[in-house]
Amino acid sequence: MRRTIKIFAVAGLAALATSHGATQTADEAMANTAAQLDLPSTFTVFGERDPNIRKPTAIVNGEIVTRTDVDHRLNLFLAANSAAQISDEERQRLRMQIVRNLIDETLQIQEARANDIQVPSADVDATFAQVAQRSGADPEQFTEFLRTQGSSARSMKRQIEGELAWRRLLRRYVNPTVGVSDAEVQAIVERLEASRGQTEYRIAEIYLPARPDNEAEMLDGARRILEQIQSGGSFQAYARQFSQASTAAVGGDLGWLQPAQLPPELAAVVTQMPVGGVSQPIPIPGGFSIIALIDQRQILVGNPRDAVLSLTQITLTFPPGTTRAVAEPQIEALSSATQAGGGCGVASTIAAELGGEVVQNDGVRLGDLPDVLQRNIGSLQIGEATTPFGSLTDGVRVLVLCGRDDPPASAEPDADVIMARLEQERADRRARRYLRDLRRDAVIEYR
């Protein structure tokens, strides 16, 4: 939680440097910035630069980032957001962000090599196989899929190599220098105990910094990002590409927070949001934030959405072209039979009588179900069934609750988990400073 407070504190300091709160004018802000940078009061710009010309490739300390590298990485991102409608302008913005990401990735690999840290190809291949498996394919099938999307296994393996190299470099030189005292951990434990029962929220954020002179432009960019997310884009993917907060690397995830730990502007919005909702761009000191509410719970109290369910599903399917009038009697018969009781023990009999199918589902977390089913099933007793749901095209279903394992009524703060989180947060901050220094020292040319 300290990392989050630090993030917003930094954003607040940036706002003070540019706007002095709500009272400073744009002219005053520019005067302060000019003084900070020791700029002359008047000057002449020699030469012209066309802002519409954006160079797509780069040479980083002599190593070339090619147009093909950029295209393949862009297409990889687009494949992960295939449901979103990407405009040509948005595609160009994505391209330039990917160039920046590839520059950082190249610097990380170069620094690892300079410190005799090599990533064997076998390690890269193993990770690639894990990614393919999570996508439901073997490496060969996944390679072919990437090719059909205009990307390549080489591009993904390059990204994997960068992540592994950087992680190993940090493990050797950064993580061992991080220390957390028992007193710090105990202070957090005591604060959690004092807050027991209060509501906290798991939030993800896309933060875009803004100055008085580019505020309208940044707000417009935030609205375009929101449009892409609302049209099916991945919030996490856009956070990784566009958010300027340190949480970009983890898809914008801020973790679990209480409203008091958020800027007032965000706290006022998040407490009114439904789980799964995404906000409009919110003005905060120093810029704009788009937030997504992943989940909410009570501190040190079992989360009802963590209940693990055993469900039996009865499904009725209909021939193509079946009208609702024709299907309605069978759906009503399914509803009557399952609402009459008998529980999971009679599910097979009901399905056989109505020509349906039965599937048993165990180990289902309540919070992983769609919101409407969470509300429906959350109030069911063992043996009770939902009302029918679905469609004539995809099948009409009923879920019967066979068993439910509720989470513990309360939980005690785990000191080891708290210490590990604090160590990781501090290591992350040092890693960001490390990368910032690499950028400053790099020789980068654009072609």
Side-chain angles (χ1 to χ4, degrees):
M1 293 184 185
R2 290 189 178 190
R3 173 181 59 184
T4 305
I5 295 170
K6 179 67 173 178
I7 290 166
F8 289 115
V10 170
L13 290 175
L16 289 175
T18 58
S19 65
H20 285 307
T23 60
Q24 188 182 29
T25 67
D27 289 341
E28 290 171 336
M30 284 188 285
N32 285 338
T33 302
Q36 182 182 1
L37 297 176
D38 193 24
L39 298 177
S41 57
T42 60
F43 54 85
T44 300
V45 176
F46 298 95
E48 295 182 0
R49 178 181 180 274
D50 186 347
N52 296 315
I53 297 176
R54 301 183 179 184
K55 299 179 180 180
T57 59
I59 302 175
V60 184
N61 294 330
E63 187 170 342
I64 299 174
V65 175
T66 68
R67 186 185 295 271
T68 299
D69 293 330
V70 177
D71 288 343
H72 283 191
R73 194 64 60 84
L74 173 63
N75 290 333
L76 191 61
F77 176 85
L78 295 176
N81 291 272
S82 56
Q85 300 298 315
I86 308 293
S87 66
D88 290 342
E89 182 181 4
E90 183 74 10
R91 186 183 294 264
Q92 180 64 15
R93 292 175 64 244
L94 280 170
R95 179 180 293 277
M96 300 314 299
Q97 181 64 46
I98 285 169
V99 170
R100 292 191 289 272
N101 293 347
L102 284 167
I103 289 171
D104 284 348
E105 184 179 291
T106 302
L107 291 172
Q108 290 169 341
I109 294 174
Q110 289 174 345
E111 182 67 7
R113 290 173 179 168
N115 286 275
D116 297 323
I117 294 175
Q118 302 291 333
V119 180
S121 58
D123 292 356
V124 175
D125 291 341
T127 304
F128 181 81
Q130 292 171 5
V131 175
Q133 185 178 23
R134 289 196 296 269
S135 301
D138 59 36
E140 291 75 20
Q141 293 169 331
F142 195 53
T143 297
E144 177 60 20
F145 168 76
L146 293 174
R147 188 190 65 78
T148 63
Q149 300 300 310
S151 186
S152 64
R154 174 185 170 276
S155 181
M156 177 165 281
K157 288 182 179 181
R158 167 77 174 189
Q159 185 174 358
I160 291 170
E161 180 189 2
E163 292 173 354
L164 293 179
W166 187 241
R167 194 180 306 157
R168 293 174 186 186
L169 180 69
L170 298 178
R171 190 181 302 137
R172 178 183 296 182
Y173 294 114
V174 174
N175 295 0
T177 66
V178 174
V180 176
S181 69
D182 291 338
E184 292 175 282
V185 174
Q186 184 59 34
I188 293 177
V189 169
E190 291 172 359
R191 284 202 302 273
L192 288 172
E193 288 287 4
S195 302
R196 183 184 292 271
Q198 296 181 20
T199 302
E200 62 180 355
Y201 303 86
R202 188 176 177 192
I203 303 164
E205 175 201 35
I206 297 173
Y207 170 69
L208 302 177
R211 305 182 306 273
D213 60 311
N214 71 349
E215 190 174 86
E217 177 186 351
M218 298 307 293
L219 176 58
D220 184 57
R223 287 171 175 161
R224 288 200 301 269
I225 290 173
L226 179 61
E227 288 173 2
Q228 297 300 327
I229 294 170
Q230 291 174 334
S231 67
S234 164
F235 188 99
Q236 291 74 18
Y238 274 89
R240 289 189 182 97
Q241 293 292 339
F242 291 104
S243 179
Q244 297 300 302
S246 60
T247 54
V250 291
D253 192 350
L254 298 176
W256 290 99
L257 298 167
Q258 295 176 258
Q261 294 173 284
L262 293 166
E265 300 86 354
L266 299 190
V269 174
V270 75
T271 54
Q272 304 299 318
M273 289 175 63
V275 173
V278 178
S279 75
Q280 294 291 318
I282 305 168
I284 64 172
F288 297 93
S289 283
I290 302 170
I291 58 175
L293 180 56
I294 301 172
D295 202 354
Q296 69 182 60
R297 68 184 182 187
Q298 291 180 294
I299 297 173
L300 300 183
V301 175
N303 185 353
R305 282 184 291 276
D306 286 336
V308 178
L309 311 177
S310 175
L311 301 169
T312 290
Q313 177 175 287
I314 304 174
T315 303
L316 300 182
T317 56
F318 301 94
T322 300
T323 64
R324 178 156 184 164
V326 172
E328 195 74 45
Q330 197 171 358
I331 296 173
E332 290 179 357
L334 173 64
S335 179
S336 298
T338 52
Q339 296 298 318
C344 296
V346 299
S348 296
T349 301
I350 293 172
E353 291 175 351
L354 298 176
E357 299 177 353
V358 174
V359 176
Q360 183 70 35
N361 297 283
D362 295 320
V364 178
R365 179 179 175 272
L366 178 60
D368 293 335
L369 295 171
D371 289 344
V372 64
L373 289 180
Q374 287 186 44
R375 293 191 294 271
N376 196 328
I377 296 176
S379 61
L380 295 181
Q381 299 297 323
I382 303 301
E384 292 184 330
T386 66
T387 55
F389 62 93
S391 68
L392 299 184
T393 302
D394 299 323
V396 175
R397 298 165 171 79
V398 162
L399 292 174
V400 185
L401 181 61
C402 306
R404 175 185 179 122
D405 294 324
D406 288 310
S410 64
E412 300 303 322
D414 189 321
D416 291 337
V417 171
I418 293 171
M419 178 170 286
R421 188 182 69 241
L422 287 176
E423 290 175 343
Q424 186 59 52
E425 289 171 355
R426 293 181 184 179
D428 288 345
R429 285 197 292 270
R430 296 190 184 186
R432 290 192 294 274
R433 290 197 296 269
Y434 197 163
L435 182 56
R436 178 197 63 198
D437 292 341
L438 292 178
R439 291 172 183 148
R440 286 177 175 171
D441 294 339
V443 177
I444 302 175
E445 305 171 67
Y446 291 93
R447 295 294 178 90

